[in-house]
Amino acid sequence: NHGLPAAVFKSPPVPAIGKGMRVVREFRELRVEVFPILRSMGPYLAHDPVLIAKVIRLGTAFMKERKMAGCPTDMEPLYCGFLAVIDEVVLPSLSTMEGNCCMAEELWTMLKHVPYTHRYRLYAQWKNDTYSQHPILIKIKSRALDRTRYIM
């Protein structure tokens, strides 16, 4: 058990490329139209920091709306979708970006609306599991360890 809702680890299939995407006008459409594409991009979304900032801002708006509505159960699948995007895309992308404190601040504005138990579980997964899931993150971690050893 990861400590996060089980729905975080379930996602709809990625839409076929070239079929065109519908314009998304409501939060609930993100789960089907946008999240699968983002999750397939993983840490490579770091190449488009503007898109990451937009995703984070959407997440912030959703988290605020969810909090004001009192965490209704009909928003649970979308909440889990946002947690999955944070876990699989945003945090790994943040790791691959050269120091971007503005992006970290944007991310905090979203994460502060997430219950601390889920937030710290995301941090733990980022620290312990995420770096072994993508070759680019393995390279970044080993480079950081080499730099640390050099300085020590």
Side-chain angles (χ1 to χ4, degrees), residues 4-5 8 27 58-83 110-119:
L4 294 172
V8 170
F27 283 127
L58 280 170
T60 302
F62 170 76
M63 294 298 176
K64 285 180 181 177
E65 184 177 306
R66 179 179 179 268
K67 198 173 193 178
M68 287 175 42
C71 304
T73 56
D74 64 326
M75 289 183 157
E76 194 66 21
L78 188 56
Y79 172 72
C80 292
F82 268 111
L83 290 181
M110 179 175 148
L111 287 176
K112 69 183 178 185
H113 298 289
V114 175
Y116 78 92
T117 54
H118 291 174
R119 189 169 60 235

Side-chain angles (χ1 to χ4, degrees), residues 144-152:
L145 288 171
D146 286 345
R147 285 187 208 163
T148 304
R149 287 183 188 126
Y150 175 77
I151 291 170
M152 300 299 275

Side-chain angles (χ1 to χ4, degrees), residues 6-147:
V8 170
F9 304 102
K10 298 176 186 169
S11 67
V14 176
I17 303 295
K19 298 255 181 181
M21 287 184 60
R22 293 181 327 126
V23 175
V24 175
R25 300 196 189 282
E26 297 180 14
F27 283 127
R28 70 173 176 251
E29 295 173 354
L30 288 171
R31 187 171 173 268
V32 175
E33 296 291 329
V34 178
F35 289 173
I37 294 170
L38 291 175
R39 291 175 75 181
S40 70
M41 295 175 77
Y44 298 99
L45 191 63
H47 294 290
D48 192 348
V50 174
L51 181 57
I52 295 172
K54 288 179 181 182
V55 169
I56 292 170
R57 288 177 184 165
L58 280 170
T60 302
F62 170 76
M63 294 298 176
K64 285 180 181 177
E65 184 177 306
R66 179 179 179 268
K67 198 173 193 178
M68 287 175 42
C71 304
T73 56
D74 64 326
M75 289 183 157
E76 194 66 21
L78 188 56
Y79 172 72
C80 292
F82 268 111
L83 290 181
V85 167
I86 292 168
D87 180 40
E88 298 174 22
V89 180
V90 176
L91 291 173
S93 294
L94 191 63
S95 297
T96 63
M97 298 173 80
E98 291 292 327
N100 191 333
C101 60
C102 294
M103 194 66 68
E105 186 67 29
E106 285 284 343
L107 182 57
W108 172 245
T109 61
M110 179 175 148
L111 287 176
K112 69 183 178 185
H113 298 289
V114 175
Y116 78 92
T117 54
H118 291 174
R119 189 169 60 235
Y120 279 90
R121 180 56 67 177
L122 287 170
Y123 295 154
Q125 284 181 209
W126 184 26
K127 179 184 177 226
N128 300 321
D129 300 332
T130 302
Y131 280 95
S132 62
Q133 294 175 354
H134 299 281
I136 191 169
L137 295 175
I138 293 170
K139 183 178 176 182
I140 287 170
K141 183 177 181 178
S142 68
R143 190 179 310 145
L145 288 171
D146 286 345
R147 285 187 208 163

